[in-house]
Amino acid sequence: MKSTASAPGKVILLGEHFVVYGIEAVLCAIDRRITVETRTVGSGITILSGMGSARIEPGGSTDAALAPIAHIATEAVGEFGHGTGLEITVRSDIPPGVGLGSSSACCVAAAASITGVFAELSRDEILRRALEAERTVFGGASGADTAASTYGGAIRYSTAGGFDGLRVRDLELVVANSMQAHSTGEMVRIVGRFREENREEFDGLCARASELTGDALAALGRGDRAALGGAMSESQRMLEAIGVSNARLRRMTEVADRTGLGSKITGAGGGGCIIALADGPGQRRMQEDLQELGCECFTAGIDHAGLRVETAVSRGGYFI
Ligand code: MEV
């Protein structure tokens, strides 16, 4: 038996970190994916991936990068397939650890692929399992990234209200990788400390972040790229205020803003990627300028499919 599923990475247009404290964020799934293939084998659970490979022993410890997959697999075997062995292979075209949602996409694709050899589960159930797995390594995850990866397209997301799909015109973004790795958990802890020490200022920033989300939703609705870019740049200044930017990321946004409409960190910050909006001819120039700074650059469009089951276990009408 074999089951293959893939899920897209994401960018956060607005609201990272503030979303952890209840503010609504706006995200897009992007056209880069992680694919997970699961085969049933005689016994044991083996994971093969670019992040490392491991045989999962009951009660044994697993490398943090593979722990969410191990969690999904051991839960699924316990629930559906007592004694079944699994070989799980992960392939990715999303750079890891740079704010593009590779770990969430991996959890979503793994939850669909692994459970797919045993049962037909709804997208909501796949999302629930993916988020539970992600929280085994990053307990504070808001769930925004896994929702974008599962459902695709552009979404608004809050921890209280969940997600809503948005109707948006196609949006092409420049993504520039600072080539500095970051830890999302560590960056969320830094913001937590900032909040404890500067409660009044943080509450004011949350209120402004919420207004900015409203501005960005209105701009997206009317296809106003200049207004969206302006909201993104203001969001960057707020991310700087809470301590998740650094000199290199700031320089990258300054360079992007010479030719673009707005730019900001995407994801946890402290390294990772920025996203920038540009118009036509400005886009190529912007990428050249950012490459001169030593960044890896590419353009990302919106992925509208979200979770995709590439090979289901000979069952029709797989996901609802
Ligand atoms: C990470 O992509 C986004 C954060 O807001 C954390 C989260 O929402 O779980 C920094």
Side-chain angles (χ1 to χ4, degrees):
M1 286 251 236
K2 185 178 103 171
S3 156
T4 308
S6 72
K10 65 84 188 61
V11 293
I12 301 185
L13 290 181
L14 233 63
E16 50 272 272
H17 288 292
F18 298 105
V19 69
V20 173
Y21 298 95
I23 304 304
E24 195 170 52
V26 184
L27 297 88
C28 294
I30 56 167
D31 48 8
R32 293 210 159 203
R33 299 194 149 245
I34 285 193
T35 303
V36 179
E37 182 183 286
T38 305
R39 287 173 188 277
T40 50
V41 293
S43 65
I45 298 172
T46 308
I47 304 172
L48 308 167
S49 89
M51 303 168 288
S53 296
R55 188 165 168 92
I56 309 304
E57 304 297 346
S61 67
T62 315
D63 186 276
L66 303 180
I69 307 177
H71 176 82
I72 293 165
T74 43
E75 291 283 307
V77 168
E79 194 177 339
F80 303 113
H82 303 282
T84 311
L86 299 175
E87 186 184 272
I88 302 157
T89 308
V90 183
R91 291 186 198 87
S92 175
D93 62 8
I94 309 171
V98 292
L100 299 178
S102 66
S103 22
S104 301
C106 186
C107 289
V108 173
S113 162
I114 293 167
T115 59
V117 296
F118 302 115
E120 296 176 18
L121 301 180
S122 68
R123 280 190 181 210
D124 285 352
E125 179 55 19
I126 297 297
L127 172 57
R128 190 194 67 72
R129 285 169 192 253
L131 185 53
E132 182 184 285
E134 186 163 39
R135 285 182 174 155
T136 60
V137 283
F138 168 35
S142 68
D145 296 10
T146 33
S149 182
T150 304
Y151 289 98
I155 65 164
R156 55 200 287 180
Y157 179 90
S158 71
T159 47
F163 83 98
D164 261 320
L166 301 171
R167 279 170 175 273
V168 296
R169 297 187 198 160
D170 258 344
L171 195 67
E172 202 173 59
L173 292 156
V174 172
V175 179
N177 185 348
S178 67
M179 313 305 281
Q180 295 175 322
H182 70 187
S183 148
T184 300
E186 180 51 25
M187 297 318 293
V188 169
R189 274 190 291 280
I190 287 173
V191 176
R193 276 200 297 278
F194 177 89
R195 178 174 177 263
E196 265 166 40
E197 288 161 14
N198 308 275
R199 191 54 194 260
E200 214 175 304
E201 184 183 351
F202 190 80
D203 288 349
L205 288 167
C206 281
R208 184 62 194 138
S210 181
E211 286 168 4
L212 267 189
T213 297
D215 293 350
L217 288 171
L220 278 168
R222 54 177 200 273
D224 184 343
R225 293 166 60 81
L228 179 62
M232 285 166 54
S233 288
E234 184 172 345
S235 161
Q236 169 62 21
R237 291 191 286 279
M238 292 166 60
L239 292 167
E240 281 173 17
I242 60 175
V244 299
S245 191
N246 61 30
R248 176 157 174 76
L249 293 166
R250 193 169 319 118
R251 178 82 190 117
M252 285 163 62
T253 55
E254 282 164 6
V255 166
D257 289 346
R258 288 204 304 242
T259 44
L261 302 169
S263 63
K264 62 180 278 293
I265 290 165
T266 184
C273 291
I274 66 157
I275 51 171
L277 260 183
D279 266 334
Q283 196 177 84
R284 174 182 290 216
R285 181 67 204 277
M286 181 193 286
Q287 289 198 57
E288 285 166 3
D289 291 348
L290 288 162
Q291 277 158 355
E292 259 174 42
L293 290 183
C295 300
E296 244 173 34
C297 289
F298 62 94
T299 53
I302 300 182
D303 166 279
H304 293 281
L307 170 63
R308 221 162 49 199
V309 174
E310 314 280 350
T311 326
V313 190
S314 60
R315 298 180 184 110
Y318 193 63
F319 282 108
I320 20 169

Short mmCIF file of all heavy atoms in Angstrom, two decimals, residues 10 12 16-17 19-20 138 140-142 145 184 188 267-268, ligand 1:
data_model
loop_
_atom_site.label_atom_id
_atom_site.label_comp_id
_atom_site.label_asym_id
_atom_site.label_seq_id
_atom_site.Cartn_x
_atom_site.Cartn_y
_atom_site.Cartn_z
N LYS A 10 4.17 28.73 2.79
CA LYS A 10 3.34 29.94 2.94
C LYS A 10 4.21 31.17 3.13
O LYS A 10 5.38 31.07 3.50
CB LYS A 10 2.38 29.78 4.12
CG LYS A 10 3.11 29.70 5.50
CD LYS A 10 3.44 31.05 6.06
CE LYS A 10 4.26 31.23 7.25
NZ LYS A 10 5.57 30.89 7.57
N ILE A 12 3.56 35.08 5.15
CA ILE A 12 2.61 35.86 5.96
C ILE A 12 2.67 37.30 5.44
O ILE A 12 3.71 37.95 5.50
CB ILE A 12 2.96 35.79 7.46
CG1 ILE A 12 2.94 34.32 7.92
CG2 ILE A 12 1.97 36.63 8.28
CD1 ILE A 12 3.15 34.11 9.41
N GLU A 16 2.37 38.27 11.56
CA GLU A 16 3.12 37.26 12.30
C GLU A 16 3.43 37.79 13.70
O GLU A 16 3.50 39.01 13.92
CB GLU A 16 4.42 36.81 11.60
CG GLU A 16 5.34 37.90 11.14
CD GLU A 16 4.97 38.35 9.75
OE1 GLU A 16 5.44 37.79 8.76
OE2 GLU A 16 4.23 39.35 9.69
N HIS A 17 3.62 36.92 14.62
CA HIS A 17 3.85 37.19 16.05
C HIS A 17 2.59 37.76 16.72
O HIS A 17 2.15 37.22 17.73
CB HIS A 17 5.06 38.11 16.29
CG HIS A 17 6.36 37.40 16.02
ND1 HIS A 17 6.80 36.38 16.83
CD2 HIS A 17 7.26 37.53 15.02
CE1 HIS A 17 7.95 35.92 16.34
NE2 HIS A 17 8.25 36.59 15.24
N VAL A 19 -0.31 37.41 15.76
CA VAL A 19 -1.33 36.36 15.66
C VAL A 19 -1.29 35.43 16.88
O VAL A 19 -2.31 34.91 17.32
CB VAL A 19 -1.18 35.57 14.33
CG1 VAL A 19 0.08 34.72 14.28
CG2 VAL A 19 -2.39 34.68 14.06
N VAL A 20 -0.09 35.27 17.46
CA VAL A 20 0.05 34.42 18.65
C VAL A 20 -0.75 35.02 19.81
O VAL A 20 -1.21 34.31 20.70
CB VAL A 20 1.56 34.28 19.01
CG1 VAL A 20 1.77 33.56 20.34
CG2 VAL A 20 2.32 33.60 17.89
N PHE A 138 6.95 22.85 18.85
CA PHE A 138 6.79 24.29 19.05
C PHE A 138 5.38 24.50 19.63
O PHE A 138 4.42 24.72 18.90
CB PHE A 138 7.00 25.01 17.71
CG PHE A 138 6.61 26.46 17.69
CD1 PHE A 138 6.78 27.28 18.80
CD2 PHE A 138 6.07 27.03 16.55
CE1 PHE A 138 6.40 28.60 18.79
CE2 PHE A 138 5.69 28.36 16.52
CZ PHE A 138 5.85 29.14 17.63
N GLY A 140 3.88 26.78 21.09
CA GLY A 140 3.14 28.04 20.95
C GLY A 140 2.60 28.28 19.55
O GLY A 140 2.08 29.36 19.28
N ALA A 141 2.71 27.31 18.64
CA ALA A 141 2.30 27.55 17.24
C ALA A 141 0.85 28.02 17.19
O ALA A 141 -0.04 27.39 17.78
CB ALA A 141 2.47 26.28 16.42
N SER A 142 0.60 29.11 16.48
CA SER A 142 -0.76 29.68 16.43
C SER A 142 -1.69 28.85 15.55
O SER A 142 -2.91 28.94 15.69
CB SER A 142 -0.70 31.11 15.87
OG SER A 142 -0.34 31.07 14.50
N ASP A 145 0.06 28.85 10.01
CA ASP A 145 0.82 28.26 8.90
C ASP A 145 0.18 26.95 8.43
O ASP A 145 0.07 26.69 7.23
CB ASP A 145 2.27 27.97 9.32
CG ASP A 145 3.05 29.24 9.66
OD1 ASP A 145 2.42 30.32 9.75
OD2 ASP A 145 4.27 29.15 9.85
N THR A 184 11.99 29.48 15.06
CA THR A 184 10.70 30.13 15.31
C THR A 184 10.41 30.19 16.82
O THR A 184 10.01 31.23 17.35
CB THR A 184 9.57 29.38 14.57
OG1 THR A 184 9.87 29.40 13.18
CG2 THR A 184 8.21 30.02 14.79
N VAL A 188 9.68 33.55 18.99
CA VAL A 188 8.41 33.74 19.72
C VAL A 188 8.71 34.02 21.20
O VAL A 188 8.05 34.86 21.83
CB VAL A 188 7.47 32.53 19.50
CG1 VAL A 188 6.26 32.57 20.44
CG2 VAL A 188 6.99 32.48 18.05
N GLY A 267 7.21 35.50 8.44
CA GLY A 267 7.46 34.42 9.41
C GLY A 267 8.08 34.98 10.67
O GLY A 267 7.88 36.14 11.02
N ALA A 268 8.89 34.16 11.33
CA ALA A 268 9.34 34.51 12.68
C ALA A 268 10.39 35.61 12.72
O ALA A 268 10.55 36.28 13.74
CB ALA A 268 9.89 33.26 13.35
C1 MEV B 1 5.69 31.75 12.08
O1 MEV B 1 5.57 31.46 10.69
C2 MEV B 1 4.62 32.71 12.48
C3 MEV B 1 4.62 33.11 13.96
O2 MEV B 1 3.57 34.07 14.12
C4 MEV B 1 4.38 31.94 14.89
C5 MEV B 1 2.98 31.36 14.78
O3 MEV B 1 2.06 32.01 14.30
O4 MEV B 1 2.83 30.20 15.22
C6 MEV B 1 5.93 33.80 14.35
#
